[in-house]
Amino acid sequence: MFPQYRVVAYYGTAGTKALGVLGQGTPEDAAEAVEKAAGAFGTPDRKVQPAMEFIATVADGGPGKDGAYSHDVAAQQVQAYLDAARRHKELFILDVQPGRRDFREAVKPWQNLVRQPDVGLALDAEWRMGPGEVPGQAIGQVGATEVNGVLDWVADLTKTGDLPQKVVVLHMFRASMIPDLASVRQHPELALVQHLDGFGDVKTKTDIYHAIAAPKQFHMGFKLFYTQDKPLLAPQDVLAMTPQPEFVSYQ
């Protein structure tokens, strides 16, 4: 995937715009919007690859029947967005907010989709709750052992299925969210992205980016928030960052 491409994604889930721009209209609306937004990131040295990052497992403020503090989006809703992405030749990334579930458990319901060649995965550590923690009331964290378990699984699915390299995204905006980040393992089957996704003013965002970015270990990602960022960085500003982000998402 890298360095041939720069991925530009819209983030969110079905049926609500509260969690990101993917939910503001129909799946077709989302596909057209990210296609337009991605065009501004074109450079002579890279092709732009539009993508949808769809929250397939959503963290909840209540425990639910199984006490997981998260739920899986209905399969037909996920498929509707995947179909729209495919009509526009866009990458599709399943984002997982596990609540109190182990990431290794939370990703398993999506195995049939992860086996498909155009589907990647994102692990959102902010929403990995410990015992007694509630999404939205605490900021989560996950250890490298748990992350590596997922990466081993995805790499194995990719290798045994003879699939193209998969994009796997690790979301974080504090070093404490993956405290032993240096122990995260690499796999040739995976294009592993460290995605820095805090919001706020430009100095705060860029200071966080430079403080915890690990470009020698990962491909770099950066998130833009349409409403919370003041001001919203323009594509040329993002492309001027060092290290330059290879994966850019909008929420």
Side-chain angles (χ1 to χ4, degrees):
M1 179 60 68
F2 306 113
Q4 290 90 344
Y5 294 93
R6 190 182 324 279
V7 177
V8 179
Y10 265 18
Y11 176 94
T13 196
T16 175
K17 58 184 179 182
L19 298 180
V21 292
L22 283 187
Q24 288 186 344
T26 67
E28 187 66 22
D29 291 337
E32 293 175 356
V34 69
E35 191 171 52
K36 181 178 180 181
F41 287 87
T43 57
D45 59 325
R46 291 186 188 235
K47 299 177 183 178
V48 177
Q49 175 58 60
M52 293 189 191
E53 185 176 344
F54 185 95
I55 312 170
T57 300
V58 183
D60 297 322
K65 292 181 180 180
D66 58 0
Y69 285 84
S70 65
H71 72 276
D72 295 337
V73 175
Q76 61 267 31
Q77 290 184 306
V78 181
Q79 190 65 48
Y81 278 83
L82 176 55
D83 290 344
R86 284 176 170 162
R87 286 192 294 271
H88 290 261
K89 296 181 172 58
E90 296 172 358
L91 190 65
F92 195 77
I93 298 167
L94 295 166
D95 185 277
V96 176
Q97 302 177 352
R100 292 189 188 173
R101 282 187 281 179
D102 186 300
F103 269 116
R104 290 167 290 195
E105 173 192 355
V107 298
K108 291 300 175 66
W110 306 111
Q111 176 169 308
N112 287 340
L113 288 180
V114 177
R115 286 182 182 275
Q116 299 185 32
D118 53 352
V119 178
L121 187 67
L123 306 182
D124 207 335
E126 178 183 0
W127 306 104
R128 172 60 171 103
M129 299 291 107
E133 294 180 339
V134 176
Q137 298 180 21
I139 293 174
Q141 67 169 29
V142 64
T145 298
E146 189 171 320
V147 172
N148 286 333
V150 177
L151 300 182
D152 292 347
W153 175 76
V154 180
D156 183 64
L157 290 178
T158 305
K159 185 175 182 178
T160 58
D162 194 25
L163 302 173
Q165 188 184 54
K166 284 191 176 293
V167 173
V168 178
V169 180
L170 304 180
H171 284 284
M172 59 190 302
F173 55 84
R174 293 181 180 177
S176 61
M177 293 168 76
I178 309 179
D180 49 354
L181 185 70
S183 297
V184 172
R185 287 195 293 268
Q186 299 289 328
H187 297 269
E189 296 84 5
L190 309 179
L192 197 53
V193 176
Q194 181 196 19
H195 197 277
L196 287 306
D197 52 352
F199 61 80
D201 61 84
V202 173
K203 185 177 187 305
T204 299
K205 286 174 69 75
T206 54
D207 283 354
I208 291 171
Y209 182 77
H210 293 131
I212 63 177
K216 294 182 179 179
Q217 186 179 3
F218 303 100
H219 302 285
M220 299 313 305
F222 192 69
K223 182 176 279 190
L224 300 168
F225 291 78
Y226 278 119
T227 56
Q228 289 108 322
D229 285 352
K230 306 293 183 182
L232 178 67
L233 285 169
Q236 61 266 30
D237 298 321
V238 176
L239 293 174
M241 293 171 63
T242 303
Q244 190 181 75
E246 297 183 88
F247 185 111
V248 181
S249 65
Y250 283 91
Q251 181 170 340

